Amino acid sequence: MKFGDRWQVIAPETLKTQQQKADRSCEVAADLARGLPVIGVAVDRGALPSALTTAADLTICINTPRGATIGRAIRMFTGQPVPSGIDEGIAAGLEFHDLVAAFRANSSPAEIIARLRNATVAGSGAGTTERLPKLEDAVEYGAARIWGMNLVRDIADYRSGRLDWQGVDRGAVLYSEPGLGKSLFARILAKACGVPLVAFSIADLFASSPGYLDSVIKASRAMFERAAAVAPCILFLDEIDALPNRATMSPRGADWWTPVVTDFLLSLDNAVMGKRAGIVVVGATNNISGVDAAVLRPGRLERAIEITRPDHAGAINILRYHLARDLAGVDLTAIGHLMDGSTGAEIMMAVRGARRIARYAGRALELNDLILATATVEEVAPAVLRRTCIHEGAHAVTSIALSCGVLKRCIVGRIGTSAGETRIQWETDDLPTRDSIERRAVVMLAGRAAESLLIGNMAVGAGGSDDSDLAQVTQFVTTLHASTGLGDTLTYIASHHDALKAVRRDPELRSKVEQHLRALQSLADEAVLRHRDAILAVADRLAAQRQLSGEEIRRIFEVSDLCGLGRLP
């Protein structure tokens, strides 16, 4: 749009600070006093100088064009009659350039209408070519699924006029370990809500700008403005912990990042506190502790929703999704037990591996292909295989015997730096007590106990790194004595995170921890001797199959326990 020479045009992109806004307000007031016409154009009215917004003779809010407006535009563009009954939401979620792209030379009104409808469907996620699960069926997402289903109802009520936007839950952060499908959930949610998904990561603030302070702030504002332009929508901010936590920021970093974080928080306020109706902001992170507390406070992304590893039902659901039409009539209960506790990414990789096995064999996919794909079969020296199976079998059996956690799966094969892994879901229905921590420590020490008692010597597998069995047990026991008040003293010495550092530098604490560890090791030795035959039976089956589900191991244990095998007199 062009204005005459006397017009003063205000663009908020040039106003980077509150001081600049104040200075511009003074200029606007002076221009108006001299009789000059002034106009401001902005996505957000609050971004304009206050002197202009308060003194304006006319405020025009340009909403998304409705069906009648689109019809008039088509008639003016084509010079042809327009079909009646153009739906009112034909341009919902579309930006101006999307509308322009639909109006092409020599197009008929019907062709323009078809393009607009296709663009609207694609923008809402309903017409995406990606095959997505239904939100109501995605049981593996747990609390996130329940929150999402409530949001679907809220947005439907908002659209129908039964609910004001202030009543919609407008902000949440999804957190989990990597590979549990936070980004996928955002796409599922947007499709279920029937709204566009506007997806960004904090890295995009740099990728879409030269990286200077002012350009990063502009990119941050543009991100929220893009969401405002297509509202109602879901604004998905991935890796939100990449926005630094001001409480842990270095002084050097604070000088640069503080303006970015502050401006981001102001934009977030505008998005979720009702100043811009129609935006739901969903953040995602693998490190919830690294997210600035101001982002998570009430009124912003106030719900922190954890996505945990899927249980048996969730694992089967994910398998069905990735299998699509394959194995449609096959019972997946057994493979579901094997994949219980696996991440969505691991299940996806297993299905891909199973399809590869079937393809190389020149046949259709079979259930056994999935079982083979979940096992890590590699050439291992017999002595190493035997030791690893006994070590992991001892972890698994003692976890059942001591009712410590829920055993999910036992795997023998190279996993990172380990030769095997026993997956146990530790108790979450209560806070840790001294008893539960000690039982967990006994389970973790049982591996080295079994090597010593059932093989005759111990290898280095239980120690050697900060994530080893010995390191974790040392950390747990040190925390009992150094920070929880569950040991011999009430003195707070160090956090769980700093426990290993504390025990290294404090001889008295180290002596207490060593004494406690030796007592727990004795209990682990007793448990191994008591359940010797069950451990050996599990080890034999592991050596043959390379993996066992928690259910299979429980059955082996129950048979041994029923027969009284391997118990001390």
Side-chain angles (χ1 to χ4, degrees), residues 465-546:
S465 66
D466 283 352
D467 61 351
S468 65
D469 294 342
L470 279 179
Q472 291 185 62
V473 172
T474 301
Q475 191 172 28
F476 293 145
V477 174
T478 301
T479 300
L480 284 178
H481 293 279
S483 63
T484 63
L486 298 178
D488 300 330
T489 178
L490 296 179
T491 306
Y492 183 91
I493 299 172
S495 67
H496 178 76
H497 178 73
D498 294 327
L500 292 179
K501 294 178 184 176
V503 81
R504 288 177 190 132
R505 64 174 178 255
D506 187 333
E508 184 180 352
L509 177 61
R510 187 162 62 248
S511 176
K512 287 182 182 179
V513 171
E514 177 67 21
Q515 205 171 7
H516 199 161
L517 286 172
R518 288 191 179 280
L520 293 172
Q521 184 66 68
S522 296
L523 293 175
D525 292 347
E526 291 176 15
V528 167
L529 289 173
R530 186 175 294 113
H531 302 288
R532 174 182 182 277
D533 285 12
I535 293 170
L536 291 175
V538 169
D540 289 341
R541 190 80 63 84
L542 267 177
Q545 297 180 202
R546 302 297 178 95

Side-chain angles (χ1 to χ4, degrees), residues 340-408:
D340 186 348
S342 299
T343 67
E346 290 168 340
I347 295 173
M348 178 184 68
M349 186 172 68
V351 172
R352 190 168 62 235
R355 285 202 168 101
R356 185 182 300 112
I357 291 171
R359 188 173 67 253
Y360 287 177
R363 54 171 171 72
L365 185 68
E366 298 175 357
L367 180 62
N368 194 54
D369 297 329
L370 268 177
I371 296 173
L372 289 174
T374 58
T376 305
V377 180
E378 57 186 38
E379 291 298 323
V380 181
V384 174
L385 178 61
R386 183 63 177 166
R387 182 182 296 276
T388 304
C389 290
I390 287 176
H391 183 108
E392 299 302 333
H395 286 319
V397 168
T398 53
S399 77
I400 298 172
L402 298 179
S403 300
C404 185
V406 179
L407 179 63
K408 295 293 186 179

Side-chain angles (χ1 to χ4, degrees), residues 253-273:
D255 290 341
W256 195 92
W257 273 106
T258 297
V260 176
V261 176
T262 302
D263 193 82
F264 175 88
L265 293 174
L266 290 173
S267 295
L268 184 61
D269 285 341
N270 287 339
V272 301
M273 293 179 70

Side-chain angles (χ1 to χ4, degrees), residues 73-81 109:
I74 292 174
R75 185 167 56 251
M76 292 172 63
F77 182 80
T78 63
Q80 301 175 30

